[in-house]
Amino acid sequence: KFTYQRAKVNKAKRLGEVKSLPLDASLAPTAKEISKTWAKRRSDDGDLYETLEALDHLEELMLFGNMLFLDGEPVGFNLYSRISQDTVDNHIAKTLRDDVDTLMKLEFYLTLDEAVTYINREEDLGIKGLAIHKQDAQPCGFNDTYILTYRKECR
């Protein structure tokens, strides 16, 4: 079932020596630089502002994650929060190399305790690449999403 993911992980491991560290305040400046470089490669800033804010407030927001290094160079990071005893929520993932995203997630998943059985990957925002990426993860299910709007007559 996960042949594709194993192949991606093995390909990434051949790129260099892999090291993964917990993302804490000491690595936040490096994560900010990764985020800024990531944004410069795009046609828009994406969620750069939100990512930088999150990195400024890791402890207050109770965010945790990991940073992936190849041959000592930082190449990406993930940020998560725990939303229940058995579920973590993936908020932000940034990579400077397209071929390390699955390895970065695996390295993080290996740090989770046995109580975690679900990882919420959040919505794909209608972006085709994100939707394909999330399908590749072999999800166990999908939640309905809703858009709330303000109507004056409800006041």
Side-chain angles (χ1 to χ4, degrees), residues 1-134:
K1 183 174 181 179
F2 294 101
T3 303
Y4 179 67
Q5 288 83 6
R6 278 192 293 275
K8 286 183 76 172
V9 166
N10 289 332
K11 179 181 176 186
K13 284 182 176 181
R14 289 191 296 271
L15 296 172
E17 181 184 344
V18 175
K19 183 176 182 180
S20 180
L21 294 175
L23 201 161
D24 58 17
S26 71
L27 287 175
T30 304
K32 285 182 175 186
E33 289 307 312
I34 289 171
S35 300
K36 291 173 186 175
T37 302
W38 173 88
K40 286 178 188 174
R41 295 177 178 179
R42 299 171 43 92
S43 59
D44 61 50
D45 286 343
D47 61 356
L48 176 62
Y49 174 77
E50 294 81 3
T51 301
L52 297 177
E53 278 293 304
L55 290 165
D56 280 336
H57 303 283
L58 290 173
E59 289 184 23
E60 298 94 328
L61 295 170
M62 295 187 292
L63 295 172
F64 63 100
N66 72 311
M67 183 171 290
L68 185 72
F69 297 81
L70 282 178
D71 289 334
E73 294 296 318
V75 294
F77 70 92
N78 283 305
L79 283 178
Y80 291 80
S81 64
R82 194 165 199 140
I83 57 176
S84 71
Q85 183 175 347
D86 66 351
T87 306
V88 295
D89 194 20
N90 178 217
H91 299 291
I92 298 168
K94 301 284 181 260
T95 60
L96 298 180
R97 298 187 61 159
D98 293 337
D99 44 5
V100 299
D101 55 332
T102 303
L103 174 61
M104 186 171 66
K105 285 182 281 206
L106 173 64
E107 289 290 323
F108 173 72
Y109 298 162
L110 292 172
T111 69
L112 297 172
D113 60 70
E114 290 181 10
V116 176
T117 54
Y118 297 103
I119 299 167
N120 180 17
R121 300 280 308 279
E122 296 186 339
E123 74 171 280
D124 58 35
L125 306 171
I127 299 169
K128 186 178 179 181
L130 281 177
I132 291 169
H133 188 70
K134 290 174 188 230

